[in-house]
C-alpha cells in the first residue's frame, strides 16, 4: 500500500452537511456511501464511471442517486450536482485535514472502522495495535478522515517510520503540525504550547520502534493539551496513562468468497490487471485463509496473480511457505507476513534479491542513481539497477512516486525491516551501510557547499537518510570519523534550515564523536551559538564552559581562556534567557581561571576584558547600587575591551565588546552615543560569514539598534531595524519575538493598521509559545494597548494591559509606590492626554526621571521627559516652564521629543504660529500621530480629519 501527501475529504462531514444544509431537521440522514456518490456527481461523472470509481454496480449507483433525490428533496440529477459543488466549496473552508491521500481504495473493516471511530470519540488516546502488515495505517487513516469534522482545529498525520532517534519524535510532530522552533524552549515544549488550546486529532503512525520517545511525549501532551486526542498505530501498546488499546485483527475470512479478505484480493488484482473469474472467490478464499487474512500478504499475493494465476499462487504457498524464526516476540500473524515476504523474495532473480535487501537502507524515497551508488556492486552491476527497480515495483515490493523532480522509489517499512534481516544473513550489512554512509556524506557536502538554490528541498528529501546514517555510524567505532563528519554537516544544515533544536543536538553529538579535542571545542562553540539563537542562556553557559575544557585538553590555553570568559559574558549579556543564573562566586572563579590561561593572546585578552567590563556593568557588579561612582570606571573598562577587540581583526569579537560599551553608555545616560554604537554593531556584522554565533550576535545587534533608534526619535531607523528583525528567518515563525520592537515603532509613529496587524501576530505567537512571562516583551504589548486607548476601545485596551501584566515577570526597578516609570508611564500618559485628562497624565509621570533612571535612560527617557513637560503645561502645573527647560536640555537632537517640547512651550505661551510649526517637525520625523494631535491642539479643522484618517478616536482638547 502506498500513499502520497494530500488532503482527504471526510465523507461523514459531507454526509452531515448534505443532510442538514438548508434542509429541515427531520430530513433523513445521508449515508457515507451516498455521500461518496454525491461527491462524484459533483464531478459530473456518469453512473458507470461512479460505479467503476467506487467498485459498485451501476444498479447500486442508480439506487443511491434515487435515495439522494428523495432525502435532499431535489428535483433532478443536475440539482444534485449543484448541491455537491456547494458542499465541496464549503468543505474547502474547513480546517486542514492533513492526512496522506491513499492511492488505493479502502476495503472492508466495517466493524473495526466503527469500533475504532467510537474509541477515538470517547478516549483521549487510542492505540491501534497489530502485527506488521495487518492494515493498521489504512484503518487509522480511514477513521481519522471520518472524524475530521469533530475537530475544529484540524487532523494531522505524523509518519514516524523515518525517525530513528526516539528524542526526535517531538520534532516529527512539530514538522507535521507546522510548528517552528520557539526561542527559549525545546521542540517538545513548543509542541505542547502550540496545541494547548487546540481541538485537534493527531495520528501517530508506526510508533513501535520509537516507543521510548512517543510514550513520554504523549504523557505530557495529553496532560497539557486537554482538547487534543491521539490515534496511534503500533505493533505493541505504548503503556501510557490515557491509553485505550484497540486490537486490529486480520481481515475477516467469514463468508468465504464474500469475505473482506477476498474483497481486498479482488480489488488489488483488478488494479494490476483484470478481475479474476467470477467463479474464483472460493479458491481465493482458500489462499487468503492460508495467509491468515493479513492485508500486506494478500496484496503481495494479488500482485502475483496476473503472472502466476490462482494455480501458481496455490502451488507457491504450498511449496515455498516457510516460517522464519521470529523469536518469542513475534506472533503467528506476524510470522505469516514474514512467510509471504520470504515467498515473494524467493521468486525473485538473484540480482533483484540483492537490490531489494540493499535498498532497505534508504529511509526516504530514493532515485535510480542513488540506488546504483549504494547497491550497485556484485552480483548486481550498477547498469542493471534501473531494470531491477522496475521489476521490484511491478511486484509491489517498492512504491513508485513520479513528480517533476523525477521518479523515486521507496520500500514500505515492513519490507525495509525484512531487507535488513536479509542483509545481515548475506553478510552485507556493514558494506551496504558503509556505502550508504558514503552516499550521505557526499550529498551533505554538496548541500553544505551552498551550490544549489534548491538546497532546502534537496535537504528535506535526504534528511532522514542522513539521520539514519549517523545513528548507525555513531554505534560503530570504525565509522567514528564518518559519524563525526556527518554530525557536523547535519548540524550546519539543520541550523540553516531553522531546525535549531536539532542543530544544537548535532553539534553536541559531533563534539562527543570528535577524535580531536580541538574539533570538539569548535563544535561546542557552535552549539553554544545555536543555544543563543534559541534564547537558552543556561545551555550557552554550559556549552562555553565545556568548550573551554575541551580546548584545555587540546593544549589551547588561549582558546580555553576565551571560552571561559565568554561563559561569564553570557551570564550578564543574556541574563533574561537563564532559568538559573550562575552565582557571582562562579563567575569570579571562571574569570580567575581565564586570567591564568590567557597569556598575551589578543583574542583571549579581548574576551577577558569584555567579561570584566560586563561584570562591572551588570548583574555581578555594583553599578546598580552606586551608579555615580561606578559609571566612569565601567565606561573606561568597556572602552578598553573595544580597543583590545579591534586589535584582533575579528568583527564578531569587536561587536561583542561594543555591546558591553553600549551597556556602559546607557548606564551613563548617553542615549545618542548608545544609538551610534548599536548601529556600528549592525554595520560590522553585515559582512560576517553566517554561523550560529554571528547569527545570534546579529539578532542581538538588530534589537539594540531598534531600541536605541526609538530612544533618539529615529522612527524611520527603528522601523528599518525592526523590519529586519521581523523578517529574519530565525524569528519569522515566532511572531511575538519577531515584531515586538516594530510594534513600538509603529505605535509611536501612529500607524494604527500596522499595529493592529502586528498585534494579532504578536498575540498568536505568544499564545503558541505557552504565554511565557518575559519583561522584554511587555513594551510591545503596552504599545498595542496604547493604540487601542487612542482608538477609545476600552475593552481591547484592558485585554492588552492584562497581557502586559502577564508578561512582566519582574517588577521595574525603583517602581514608585507601585507606579512603574519608563514605557508603561509613557504609553499611559499618551492615552490620558489624548482624552483630555492632563491631571491624570501628570500624575502618571510624576516621578522624577532619576527615580526610575535605569529604565528611562535606556529607551524611554526622551519620551518620558517630553510628556512630563506637556502634561505640566496642559494641567497648569506651576513648574511647567522649568520642566520644559529641563526637558529641552535632555532631548536636544531628538526630532520627535524636541518637537513635543517646542509644542509644550508654544501651548504655554499661546503662540499659535509656533504651535503649527511643530506639526511640520512631527511630519518630517514620521510621527503622524503627533502631527495630527498638533493640528487638533491648534484648533484646526484638519485635526479631527487627520486623527480619523489615522484610525484613532476624536481628541479631547482643553
Amino acid at each position: 500500500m502506498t500513499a502520497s501527501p494530500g488532503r482527504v475529504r471526510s465523507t461523514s462531514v459531507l454526509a452531515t452537511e448534505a443532510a442538514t444544509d438548508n434542509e429541515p431537521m427531520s430530513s433523513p440522514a445521508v449515508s457515507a456511501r451516498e455521500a461518496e456518490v454525491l461527491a462524484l456527481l459533483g464531478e459530473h461523472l456518469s453512473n458507470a464511471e461512479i460505479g467503476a470509481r467506487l467498485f459498485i454496480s451501476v444498479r447500486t449507483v442508480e439506487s443511491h442517486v434515487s435515495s439522494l433525490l428523495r432525502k435532499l428533496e431535489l428535483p433532478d440529477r443536475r440539482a444534485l450536482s449543484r448541491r455537491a459543488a456547494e458542499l465541496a466549496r464549503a468543505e474547502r473552508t474547513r480546517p486542514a485535514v492533513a492526512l496522506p491521500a491513499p492511492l488505493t481504495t479502502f476495503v472492508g473493516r466495517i466493524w473495526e472502522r466503527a469500533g475504532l471511530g467510537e474509541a477515538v470519540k470517547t478516549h483521549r488516546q487510542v492505540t491501534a495495535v497489530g502485527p506488521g502488515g495487518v492494515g493498521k495505517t489504512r484503518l487509522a487513516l480511514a477513521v481519522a478522515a471520518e472524524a475530521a469534522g469533530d475537530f475544529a482545529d484540524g487532523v494531522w498525520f505524523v509518519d514516524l517510520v523515518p525517525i530513528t532517534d526516539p528524542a526526535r519524535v517531538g520534532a516529527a510532530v512539530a514538522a507535521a503540525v507546522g510548528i517552528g522552533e520557539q526561542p527559549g524552549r525545546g521542540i517538545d515544549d513548543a509542541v505542547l504550547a502550540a496545541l494547548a488550546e487546540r481541538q485537534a486529532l493527531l495520528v501517530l503512525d508506526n510508533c513501535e520502534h520509537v516507543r521510548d520517545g512517543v510514550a513520554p511525549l504523549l504523557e505530557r501532551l495529553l496532560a497539557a493539551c486537554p482538547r487534543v486526542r491521539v490515534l496511534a498505530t503500533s505493533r505493541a501498546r505504548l503503556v501510557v496513562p490515557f491509553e485505550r488499546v484497540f486490537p486490529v485483527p486480520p481481515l475477516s475470512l467469514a463468508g468465504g468468497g464474500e469475505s473482506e479478505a477476498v474483497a481486498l484480493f479482488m480489488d488489488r488484482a483488478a488494479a494490476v490487471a483484470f478481475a479474476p473469474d467470477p467463479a474464483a472467490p472460493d479458491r481465493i478464499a482458500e489462499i487468503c485463509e492460508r495467509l491468515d487474512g493479513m492485508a500486506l500478504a494478500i496484496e503481495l499475493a494479488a500482485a502475483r496473480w496476473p503472472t502466476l494465476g490462482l494455480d501458481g499462487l496455490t502451488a507457491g504457498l504450498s511449496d515455498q511457505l516457510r516460517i522464519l524464526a521470529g523469536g518469542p516476540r513475534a506472533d503467528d500473524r506476524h510470522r505469516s507476513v514474514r512467510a509471504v515476504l520470504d515467498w515473494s523474495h524467493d521468486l525473485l532473480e538473484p540480482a533483484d534479491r540483492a537490490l531489494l535487501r540493499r535498498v532497505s537502507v534508504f529511509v526516504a524515497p530514493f532515485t535510480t542513481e542513488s540506488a546504483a551508488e549504494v547497491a550497485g556492486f556484485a552480483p548486481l552491476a550498477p547498469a542493471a539497477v534501473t531494470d531491477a527497480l522496475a521489476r521490484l515495483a511491478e511486484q509491489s515490493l517498492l512504491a513508485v512516486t513520479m513528480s517533476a523532480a523525477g521518479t523515486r522509489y521507496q520500500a514500505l517499512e515492513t519490507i525495509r525491516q525484512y531487507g535488513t534481516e536479509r542483509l545481515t544473513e548475506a553478510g552485507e550489512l556493514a558494506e551496504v551501510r558503509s556505502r550508504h554512509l558514503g552516499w550521505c556524506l557526499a550529498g551533505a557536502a554538496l548541500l553544505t557547499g551552498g551550490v544549489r538554490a534548491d538546497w532546502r528541498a534537496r535537504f528535506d528529501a535526504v534528511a532522514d537518510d542522513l539521520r539514519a546514517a549517523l545513528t548507525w555510524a555513531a554505534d560503530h567505532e570504525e565509522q567514528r570519523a564518518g559519524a563525526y563528519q556527518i554530525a557536523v554537516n547535519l548540524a550546519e544544515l539543520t541550523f540553516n534550515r531553522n531546525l535549531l533544536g536539532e542543530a544544537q543536538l548535532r553539534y553536541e553529538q559531533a563534539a562527543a564523536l570528535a577524535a580531536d579535542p580541538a574539533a570538539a571545542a569548535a563544535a561546542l562553540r557552535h552549539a553554544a551559538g545555536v543555544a543563543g539563537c534559541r534564547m537558552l542562556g543556561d545551555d550557552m553557559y554550559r556549552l562555553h564552559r565545556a568548550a573551554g575544557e575541551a580546548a584545555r585538553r587540546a593544549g589551547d590555553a588561549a582558546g580555553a581562556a576565551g571560552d571561559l570568559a565568554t561563559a561569564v559574558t553570557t551570564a550578564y549579556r543574556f541574563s533574561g534567557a537563564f532559568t538559573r543564573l550562575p552565582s557571582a562566586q562562579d563567575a569570579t572563579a571562571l574569570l580567575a581561571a581565564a586570567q591564568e590561561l590567557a597569556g598575551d593572546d589578543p583574542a583571549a585578552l579581548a574576551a577577558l576584558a569584555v567579561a570584566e567590563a560586563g561584570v562591572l556593568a551588570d548583574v555581578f557588579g555594583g553599578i546598580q547600587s552606586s551608579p555615580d561612582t561606578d559609571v566612569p570606571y565601567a565606561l573606561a573598562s568597556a572602552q578598553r575591551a573595544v580597543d583590545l577587540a579591534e586589535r584582533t581583526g575579528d568583527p564578531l569579537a569587536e561587536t561583542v565588546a561594543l555591546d558591553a560599551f553600549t551597556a556602559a553608555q546607557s548606564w551613563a545616560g548617553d542615549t545618542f552615543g548608545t544609538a551610534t554604537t548599536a548601529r556600528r554593531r549592525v554595520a560590522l556584522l553585515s559582512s560576517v560569514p553566517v554561523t550560529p554565533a554571528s547569527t545570534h550576535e546579529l539578532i542581538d545587534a538588530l534589537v539594540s539598534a531598534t531600541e536605541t533608534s526609538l530612544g533618539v526619535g529615529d522612527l524611520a531607523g527603528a522601523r528599518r531595524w525592526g523590519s529586519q528583525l521581523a523578517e529574519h528567518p530565525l524569528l519569522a515563525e515566532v511572531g511575538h519575538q519577531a515584531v515586538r520592537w516594530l510594534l513600538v515603532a509603529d505605535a509611536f509613529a501612529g500607524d494604527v493598521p500596522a499595529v493592529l496587524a502586528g498585534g494579532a501576530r504578536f498575540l498568536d505567537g505568544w499564545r503558541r509559545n505557552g504565554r511565557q512571562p518575559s519583561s522584554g516583551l511587555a513594551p510591545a504589548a503596552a504599545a498595542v494597548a496604547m493604540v487601542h486607548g487612542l482608538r477609545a476601545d476600552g475593552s481591547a485596551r484592558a485585554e492588552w494591559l492584562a497581557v502586559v501584566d502577564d508578561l512582566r515577570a519582574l517588577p521595574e526597578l525603583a517602581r514608585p509606590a507601585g507606579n512603574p516609570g519608563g514605557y508603561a508611564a509613557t504609553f499611559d500618559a499618551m492615552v490620558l492626554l489624548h482624552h483630555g485628562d492632563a491631571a491624570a497624565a501628570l500624575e502618571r509621570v510624576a516621578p522624577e526621571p532619576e527615580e526610575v533612571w535605569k529604565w528611562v535612560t535606556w529607551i524611554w527617557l526622551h519620551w518620558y521627559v517630553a510628556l512630563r513637560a506637556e502634561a505640566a503645561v496642559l494641567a497648569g502645573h506651576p513648574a511647567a516652564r522649568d520642566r520644559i527647560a529641563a526637558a529641552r536640555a535632555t532631548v536636544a537632537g531628538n526630532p520627535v521629543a524636541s518637537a513635543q517640547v517646542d509644542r509644550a512651550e508654544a501651548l504655554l505661551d499661546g503662540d499659535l504660529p509656533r504651535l503649527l510649526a511643530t506639526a511640520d517637525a512631527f511630519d518630517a520625523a514620521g510621527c503622524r500621530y503627533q502631527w495630527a494631535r498638533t493640528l487638533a491642539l491648534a484648533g484646526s479643522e484638519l485635526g479631527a480629519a487627520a486623527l480619523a484618517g489615522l484610525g484613532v478616536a476624536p481628541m479631547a482638547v482643553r
Side-chain angles (χ1 to χ4, degrees):
M1 290 178 283
T2 60
S4 61
R7 289 157 76 101
V8 173
R9 184 186 173 118
S10 169
T11 56
S12 65
V13 172
L14 182 61
T16 302
E17 289 187 344
T20 60
D21 188 28
N22 298 322
E23 296 296 325
M25 291 299 292
S26 60
S27 297
V30 173
S31 70
R33 178 62 85 183
E34 287 170 345
E36 291 175 339
V37 171
L38 181 60
L40 294 176
L41 286 171
E43 297 178 24
H44 305 290
L45 300 185
S46 67
N47 285 354
E49 290 171 326
I50 294 173
R53 183 79 67 87
L54 299 179
F55 298 94
I56 58 178
S57 69
V58 173
R59 180 168 296 180
T60 301
V61 175
E62 292 172 349
S63 173
H64 286 316
V65 171
S66 298
S67 177
L68 286 166
L69 290 171
R70 182 179 68 258
K71 290 181 177 180
L72 301 181
E73 300 180 3
L74 294 174
D76 52 33
R77 186 188 186 93
R78 182 176 299 176
L80 278 176
S81 296
R82 285 197 299 269
R83 172 60 62 84
E86 292 168 0
L87 293 173
R89 285 193 296 273
E91 181 69 13
R92 285 194 291 270
T93 65
R94 291 182 173 275
V97 180
L99 298 174
L103 299 181
T104 54
T105 56
F106 185 83
V107 178
R109 299 286 194 194
I110 296 174
W111 294 107
E112 291 90 342
R113 199 168 178 172
L116 184 57
E118 184 61 28
V120 169
K121 289 180 181 179
T122 55
H123 299 279
R124 292 289 313 284
Q125 196 269 305
V126 181
T127 304
V129 174
V134 78
K136 302 183 294 294
T137 297
R138 288 300 303 272
L139 176 62
L141 286 173
V143 169
E146 288 186 347
D150 298 331
F151 297 93
D153 294 314
V155 176
W156 293 290
F157 179 83
V158 185
D159 182 9
L160 295 177
V161 167
I163 305 304
T164 56
D165 181 357
R168 288 197 48 76
V169 170
V173 175
V177 177
I179 299 170
E181 295 277 353
Q182 301 285 357
R185 60 174 53 202
I187 195 66
D188 289 6
D189 292 328
V191 168
L192 300 184
L195 299 181
E197 300 179 4
R198 301 287 190 92
Q199 183 185 14
L201 173 66
L202 284 180
V203 182
L204 303 182
D205 192 38
N206 288 288
C207 298
E208 58 274 351
H209 64 298
V210 284
R211 281 195 299 169
D212 290 345
V214 173
L217 178 65
L218 283 186
E219 287 194 48
R220 296 182 62 200
L221 186 145
L222 294 172
C225 310
R227 302 174 69 202
V228 170
R229 292 177 184 256
V230 176
L231 170 57
T233 72
S234 178
R235 297 183 188 183
R237 59 176 299 188
L238 302 178
V239 194
V240 291
F242 296 96
E243 184 178 32
R244 173 76 172 191
V245 176
F246 186 91
V248 179
L251 289 167
S252 168
L253 297 168
E258 297 180 0
S259 69
E260 292 179 339
V262 170
L264 177 65
F265 185 101
M266 298 282 282
D267 179 88
R268 300 303 189 255
V272 297
F274 50 88
D277 185 273
D282 288 341
R283 298 177 61 191
I284 294 173
E286 293 177 8
I287 293 173
C288 293
E289 187 171 356
R290 297 282 296 278
L291 297 175
D292 288 339
M294 296 297 290
L296 176 60
I298 290 169
E299 292 197 354
L300 290 169
R304 288 290 185 181
W305 124 258
T307 54
L308 297 179
L310 296 181
D311 291 341
L313 286 174
T314 302
L317 289 173
S318 299
D319 296 339
Q320 300 191 32
L321 183 62
R322 296 195 313 273
I323 303 300
L324 297 182
R329 297 178 64 183
D331 62 26
D332 290 339
R333 296 188 186 107
H334 194 178
R335 288 155 133 25
S336 296
V337 174
R338 190 184 303 278
V340 80
L341 285 173
D342 269 346
W343 167 65
S344 296
H345 173 269
D346 290 348
L347 290 176
L348 299 174
E349 296 296 325
D352 293 354
R353 296 179 193 173
L355 181 61
L356 180 64
R357 66 178 177 260
R358 291 172 184 176
V359 297
S360 67
V361 297
F362 287 102
V363 180
F366 55 88
T367 64
T368 300
E369 294 77 14
S370 299
E373 184 175 343
V374 173
F377 61 97
L380 178 65
V385 166
T386 301
D387 289 342
L389 286 173
R391 289 192 294 271
L392 292 176
E394 288 172 0
Q395 305 307 318
S396 296
L397 292 169
L398 292 180
V400 185
T401 302
M402 297 183 182
S403 67
T407 303
R408 292 182 180 272
Y409 299 86
Q410 185 175 29
L412 298 180
E413 175 64 10
T414 302
I415 296 175
R416 284 187 62 241
Q417 294 179 5
Y418 179 82
T420 301
E421 292 179 1
R422 285 290 186 171
L423 271 179
T424 303
E425 292 174 2
E428 294 180 345
L429 182 62
E431 169 70 13
V432 177
R433 286 286 187 190
S434 296
R435 293 172 72 95
H436 179 253
L437 175 63
W439 174 80
C440 288
L441 284 168
L446 288 176
L447 290 170
T448 54
V451 177
R452 297 284 297 261
D454 61 344
W455 76 268
R456 290 176 178 82
R458 291 168 62 83
F459 168 71
D460 291 345
V462 300
D464 287 325
D465 276 291
L466 300 183
R467 293 165 180 138
L470 174 57
T471 299
W472 174 78
D475 286 339
H476 292 77
E477 184 63 30
E478 69 276 11
Q479 300 291 345
R480 188 183 186 94
Y484 163 76
Q485 188 56 55
I486 204 168
V488 169
N489 289 341
L490 196 51
E492 181 179 336
L493 289 165
T494 51
F495 177 76
N496 291 331
R497 198 66 182 87
N498 293 341
L499 302 174
L500 301 188
E502 183 176 1
Q504 182 180 330
L505 170 68
R506 300 307 177 192
Y507 276 125
E508 294 193 53
Q509 191 173 10
L513 290 166
D516 178 8
L524 289 166
R525 290 170 193 137
H526 284 310
V530 180
C533 294
R534 300 176 69 199
M535 300 183 187
L536 300 177
D538 304 80
D539 278 3
M540 290 181 71
Y541 185 76
R542 170 181 62 83
L543 290 164
H544 279 302
R545 292 192 64 172
E549 291 304 317
R552 197 185 322 223
R553 291 196 304 274
D556 181 9
D563 291 322
L564 298 180
T566 301
V568 177
T569 300
T570 295
Y572 82 78
R573 287 188 71 198
F574 307 109
S575 57
F578 278 75
T579 57
R580 181 179 180 275
L581 274 171
S583 67
Q585 291 78 11
D586 288 343
T588 302
L590 282 186
L591 280 178
Q595 287 164 347
E596 290 181 6
L597 294 166
D600 58 358
D601 182 82
L605 291 174
L608 195 58
V610 171
E612 291 169 343
V615 168
L616 283 170
D618 208 272
V619 294
F620 305 120
I623 200 163
Q624 293 182 10
S625 58
S626 54
D628 294 337
T629 57
D630 291 325
V631 165
Y633 184 47
L635 281 168
S637 297
Q639 183 61 64
R640 175 175 173 272
V642 172
D643 293 341
L644 286 169
E646 287 177 344
R647 296 175 194 171
T648 67
D650 180 2
L652 201 59
E654 188 175 348
T655 189
V656 173
L658 286 172
D659 187 46
F661 192 58
T662 59
Q665 287 176 303
S666 69
W667 281 111
D670 185 0
T671 307
F672 290 99
T674 305
T676 300
T677 305
R679 290 193 294 270
R680 182 179 166 190
R681 290 182 65 205
V682 176
L684 274 171
L685 292 165
S686 61
S687 59
V688 173
V690 176
T691 65
S694 69
T695 300
H696 180 219
E697 196 65 26
L698 176 60
I699 290 173
D700 183 71
L702 287 171
V703 169
S704 183
T706 308
E707 292 175 333
T708 55
S709 293
L710 285 168
V712 298
D714 180 10
L715 296 182
R719 201 177 196 292
R720 181 168 65 254
W721 307 128
S723 295
Q724 288 187 36
L725 273 173
E727 294 164 5
H728 195 284
L730 290 189
L731 296 179
E733 295 183 3
V734 192
H736 57 307
Q737 297 285 355
V739 301
R740 56 175 177 151
W741 288 113
L742 190 57
L743 278 173
V744 178
D746 286 336
F748 275 134
D751 190 343
V752 174
V755 172
L756 298 182
R761 182 180 174 189
F762 177 97
L763 200 58
D764 179 66
W766 178 62
R767 286 172 173 168
R768 286 176 178 270
N769 200 37
R771 301 172 180 264
Q772 284 185 302
S774 173
S775 56
L777 295 172
V784 181
M786 183 268 286
V787 167
H788 283 299
L790 298 180
R791 297 174 67 239
D793 188 340
S795 60
R797 174 169 168 77
E799 291 175 4
W800 277 94
L801 289 176
V803 172
V804 174
D805 288 338
D806 290 340
L807 285 167
R808 194 160 46 208
L810 297 174
E812 294 182 72
L813 293 180
R815 179 181 298 181
N819 188 19
Y823 70 86
T826 298
F827 290 133
D828 287 351
M830 288 178 68
V831 173
L832 292 167
L833 289 176
H834 182 85
H835 293 292
D837 196 347
L842 185 64
E843 178 62 24
R844 194 67 180 86
V845 291
E848 295 292 333
E850 56 269 20
E851 294 181 33
V852 286
W853 75 278
K854 195 260 184 184
W855 287 99
V856 299
T857 299
W858 179 235
I859 302 171
W860 316 104
L861 176 62
H862 291 186
W863 302 93
Y864 187 82
V865 298
L867 280 165
R868 289 184 88 242
E870 182 171 328
V873 170
L874 293 175
H877 193 282
R881 197 169 297 278
D882 292 339
R883 286 195 178 183
I884 289 172
R888 191 181 304 284
T890 299
V891 305
N894 183 323
V896 179
S898 293
Q900 194 165 4
V901 173
D902 288 343
R903 184 174 65 192
E905 190 170 44
L907 288 168
L908 184 62
D909 295 338
D911 189 339
L912 183 59
R914 188 178 176 193
L915 178 61
L916 290 172
T918 64
D920 295 334
F922 285 123
D923 191 28
C927 196
R928 297 288 287 175
Y929 168 70
Q930 296 295 349
W931 162 76
R933 173 170 166 78
T934 302
L935 295 178
L937 286 169
S940 170
E941 295 180 357
L942 296 176
L947 290 168
L950 292 176
V952 302
M955 195 177 78
V957 182
R958 63 169 187 165

